[in-house]
């Protein structure tokens, strides 16, 4: 009998690559669109899947329009966090968040504080201690922590975000 092994060195945290629905969707997409990595809009122009994704996200968020931006693993670093915060702002990050979140927070020029992992009370205490005089505040976190596989307390962070009137980008 073969041993059951777990891989902790890949990006397939939830083992979705083996899920029958994911495999079926991949086979259908391959038959329809072919294989290959393709390229970004910048390089090769628009692709029908980009528009379909943006349309679905737009409807889910009840918005008039939506533009998908993908900057590889650096998306929170190079695009999202520095676009949301600057030198007059405050950013709180979970201490175990991906390095790109911490790098994006630092790149923004905002005051940055790390709260204890998944500790909403610590985030609230840090917000209370450092929020005064800041134009905007963010609580940035991973949704799923890649090294441990545990989930962020998003519902509780959402309540905190609403109560403290701050933004909460999730990677």
């Amino acid at each position: 009998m073969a041993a059951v092994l777990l891989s902790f060195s890949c990006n397939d945290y939830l083992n979705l690559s083996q899920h029958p629905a994911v495999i079926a969707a991949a086979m259908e997409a391959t038959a329809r669109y072919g294989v290959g990595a393709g390229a970004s809009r910048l390089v090769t122009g628009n692709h029908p899947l980009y528009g379909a994704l943006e349309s679905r996200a737009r409807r889910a968020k009840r918005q008039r329009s939506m533009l998908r931006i993908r900057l590889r693993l650096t998306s929170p670093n190079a695009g999202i966090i520095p676009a949301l915060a600057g030198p007059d702002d405050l950013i709180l990050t979970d201490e175990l968040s991906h390095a790109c979140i911490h790098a994006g927070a630092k790149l923004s020029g905002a005051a940055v504080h790390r709260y204890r992992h998944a500790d909403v009370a610590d985030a609230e205490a840090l917000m209370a201690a450092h929020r005064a005089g800041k134009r905007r505040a963010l609580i940035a976190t991973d949704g799923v922590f890649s090294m441990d596989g545990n989930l962020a307390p998003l519902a509780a962070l959402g309540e905190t975000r609403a109560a403290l009137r701050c933004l909460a980008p999730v990677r």
Side-chain angles (χ1 to χ4, degrees):
M1 183 165 138
V4 175
L5 303 174
L6 296 176
S7 172
F8 294 102
S9 61
C10 69
N11 287 327
D12 189 17
Y13 312 122
L14 302 176
N15 200 34
L16 291 176
S17 68
Q18 301 304 308
H19 193 282
V22 173
I23 293 170
M27 291 172 65
E28 181 182 329
T30 300
R32 184 170 182 181
Y33 300 107
V35 296
S40 68
R41 281 180 169 146
L42 177 65
V43 175
T44 60
N46 200 25
H47 189 283
L49 290 175
Y50 297 157
L53 173 66
E54 290 164 348
S55 180
R56 187 172 180 180
R58 175 192 56 77
R59 286 191 308 273
K61 294 291 188 178
R62 296 183 175 102
Q63 298 296 314
R64 288 183 302 192
S65 65
M66 185 166 289
L67 177 65
R68 175 192 166 272
I69 299 173
R70 175 73 172 139
L71 300 170
R72 308 226 1 116
L73 288 176
T74 60
S75 58
N77 179 4
I80 297 169
I81 293 176
L84 296 175
D88 298 327
D89 300 321
L90 170 66
I91 300 175
L92 303 182
T93 62
D94 187 294
E95 65 186 353
L96 295 187
S97 285
H98 191 276
C100 68
I101 289 177
H102 297 295
K106 184 174 182 180
L107 182 63
S108 74
V112 180
H113 298 276
R114 293 183 182 192
Y115 59 90
R116 289 187 300 272
H117 177 55
D119 188 336
V120 176
D122 191 41
E124 291 171 345
L126 286 170
M127 186 69 73
H130 301 285
R131 178 73 161 102
K134 299 299 182 188
R135 176 180 62 110
R136 180 179 294 143
L138 280 74
I139 302 173
T141 185
D142 281 286
V144 177
F145 292 89
S146 59
M147 297 303 287
D148 297 331
N150 62 334
L151 303 176
L154 295 179
L157 285 172
E159 291 173 12
T160 296
R161 180 213 56 81
L164 299 174
R165 300 181 60 200
C166 63
L167 301 171
V170 176
R171 182 184 86 89

